């Protein structure tokens, strides 16, 4: 069993998502199953039918961030399993310390998101402009980003609007496991960048990860409006409502609270 | 001329939107035209053809918040007109000092919006919870709201989730000139409230002003997610992209910056 806990701690440290299921009743109370977001599996529940049922639920439960006890029907028996999802911390990396970035960091902080702003231009990436960012780096984004732990819980937002900074940074982003990648720019700017990435050997599938033009189209033009449209797109994508994919992207809410 | 400036100052004081057009060249430099958001018109430009052209543009320019010089073609002549739009300050009134309201006030402040939170429950409407609100009122919303200057630039957001507070407050909202009215609640909660408002004599057209269920459906469930979906709906409505009206409400952005 200790092997499983070590693997769980390792996974959390490396900012992997992890699901730990502990059998409470039935044949083997205390039996554990660990499933990581990279597909790694360790441990076993009993009988095999219970194991398979929990495995089948694991993908969905992995991103819930919740701890809950669930009952599984195995033959005539109800078996209780305690399931806890360990989500890595939310992170946002903003490339380009522009005005829109100031508002975006404010919005991201409301989501308890760890924020990092990167820009090679000293005049922009200042503590006066970004007192609220968790990290502020002056330097070339492609040199700094590899050290930022770009996992599935990371949003990468490119606002620099200059291929000189963004193309190398985008290569780092596409080679990472970041859960959201978005880039400011018109449709033609985005198409041009995609062509350059193709020429550098990236596949259509890899390039399709980029949300560009970034943000939901709320009709806004000011920096806070643009920042809000980006944050709204990130929430929609994180909640499985990617506005690019579905036929009727974002509808009036049904949510009650 | 002094009459027009007095009227402009009055309009600004009463938080009306106002457009002031000053003729720079042509027949009568210095001639002025004032158009208010309630349809009031004062002054005159010359010739009448110029006057009519500027009048025709006034509705659109009124909400621009910009000051600009425009050239009008009048017969063979180009006449320059300096046009300034005076928008009243943005205001948000939140009824219900719930958790979502805390995040919503943070978001609204990024838009330089004056924020007021109202709740009859002393335990909720505290400065500890709302250090960032411009105004915080403990009391019955329908008694407090009439003093809050609910003009076209005001967003009214009902989060109290209790007909006891919200029905009387909604009557005040519907009798105001507020530019956005939204209310938390499921579809059936919203339908029930609408029935009660009808029974109180409100027309379908009046009731159609209410955005309920409130917010864009981004799939979010947490208080910051709900607050963001509300702020996103407000931006969309203010920018003429009311997601209830159009066929394809909110699409990926085309905006460049």
């Amino acid at each position: 069993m200790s092997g499983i806990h070590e693997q769980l701690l390792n996974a959390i440290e490396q900012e992997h998502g992890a699901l730990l299921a502990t059998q409470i009743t039935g044949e083997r109370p205390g039996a554990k199953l660990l499933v990581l977001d990279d597909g790694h599996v360790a441990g076993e529940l009993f009988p095999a039918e219970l194991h398979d049922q929990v495995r089948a639920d694991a993908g969905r439960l992995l991103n819930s961030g919740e701890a809950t006890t669930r009952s599984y029907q195995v033959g005539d028996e109800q078996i209780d399993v305690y399931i806890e999802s360990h989500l890595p911390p939310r992170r946002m990396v903003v490339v380009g310390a522009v005005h829109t970035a100031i508002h975006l960091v404010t919005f991201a902080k409301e989501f308890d998101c760890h924020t990092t702003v990167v820009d090679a231009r000293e005049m922009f990436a200042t503590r006066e402009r970004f007192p609220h960012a968790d990290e502020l780096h002056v330097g070339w984004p492609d040199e700094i980003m590899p050290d930022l732990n770009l996992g599935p819980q990371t949003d990468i937002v490119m606002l620099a609007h200059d291929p000189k900074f963004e193309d190398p940074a985008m290569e780092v982003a596409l080679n990472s496991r970041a859960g959201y990648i978005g880039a400011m720019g018109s449709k033609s700017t985005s198409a041009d960048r995609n062509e350059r990435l193709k020429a550098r050997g990236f596949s259509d599938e890899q390039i399709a990860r980029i949300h560009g033009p970034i943000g939901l189209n709320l009709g806004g033009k000011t920096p806070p409006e643009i920042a809000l449209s980006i944050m709204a797109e990130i929430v929609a994508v994180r909640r499985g409502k990617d506005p690019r994919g579905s036929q009727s992207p974002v509808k009036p809410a049904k949510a009650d609270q």
Side-chain angles (χ1 to χ4, degrees), chain A residues 4 7-8 11 18-21 32-36 40-44:
Chain A
I4 280 196
Q7 289 177 47
L8 174 62
L19 189 81
L20 182 66
K32 286 181 196 301
L33 168 67
L34 177 72
V35 180
L36 303 187
H40 177 84
V41 175
E44 215 176 333

Side-chain angles (χ1 to χ4, degrees), chain A residues 10-253:
Chain A
N10 256 329
I12 291 171
E13 198 154 306
Q14 287 169 41
E15 300 202 0
H16 274 283
L19 189 81
L20 182 66
T22 306
Q23 185 166 347
I24 300 173
T25 59
E27 196 175 312
R28 199 89 63 94
K32 286 181 196 301
L33 168 67
L34 177 72
V35 180
L36 303 187
D37 63 5
D38 61 357
H40 177 84
V41 175
E44 215 176 333
L45 304 179
F46 299 89
E49 199 187 328
L50 173 69
H51 183 89
D52 293 342
Q53 284 190 45
V54 177
R55 274 292 283 128
D57 282 350
R60 189 171 46 81
L61 295 172
L62 195 56
N63 294 312
S64 69
E66 285 164 13
T68 168
T69 300
R70 297 170 68 91
S71 274
Y72 288 88
Q73 187 74 38
V74 179
D76 290 339
E77 204 181 0
Q78 289 268 3
I79 304 182
D80 289 342
V81 180
Y82 177 72
I83 296 178
E84 52 190 47
S85 147
H86 296 268
L87 283 180
R90 288 281 304 268
R91 286 181 181 277
M92 181 185 284
V93 175
V94 184
V95 176
V98 297
H99 199 153
T100 297
I102 300 173
H103 298 285
L104 186 56
V105 168
T106 301
F107 295 148
K109 297 305 295 172
E110 293 295 295
F111 292 85
D112 294 326
C113 194
H114 180 281
T115 54
T116 302
V117 177
V118 187
D119 201 309
R121 299 164 296 182
E122 268 175 60
M123 271 184 55
F124 287 91
T126 66
R127 269 293 164 200
E128 286 66 40
R129 286 165 60 85
F130 293 91
H132 52 334
D134 295 294
E135 292 180 35
L136 188 60
H137 296 280
V138 177
W140 287 82
D142 60 310
E143 292 173 7
I144 289 160
M145 286 167 70
D147 295 329
L148 295 180
N149 205 343
L150 308 171
Q153 286 285 97
T154 303
D155 310 316
I156 300 178
V157 179
M158 307 273 193
L159 304 177
H161 227 312
D162 182 339
K164 183 170 80 241
F165 298 108
E166 285 206 346
D167 279 10
M170 189 57 92
E171 295 194 21
V172 177
L174 290 179
N175 286 324
S176 79
R177 297 185 301 137
Y180 172 91
I181 303 171
M184 186 73 83
S186 66
K187 273 192 179 174
S188 67
T189 303
S190 301
D192 291 348
R193 180 210 47 234
N194 292 351
E195 283 308 313
R196 292 192 302 272
L197 288 169
K198 255 189 194 170
R200 300 273 295 168
F202 288 92
S203 69
D204 286 335
E205 201 187 342
Q206 286 175 299
I207 292 169
R209 287 173 66 197
I210 305 169
H211 291 258
I214 199 172
L216 300 185
N217 183 2
L218 306 174
K221 292 166 192 169
T222 65
E225 286 173 332
I226 303 283
L228 192 87
S229 79
I230 294 169
M231 199 69 228
E233 181 173 75
I234 290 171
V235 169
V237 168
R238 293 280 175 194
R239 287 296 191 174
K241 292 199 176 281
D242 187 340
R244 299 176 312 179
S246 66
Q247 286 180 310
S248 52
V250 179
K251 280 196 180 151

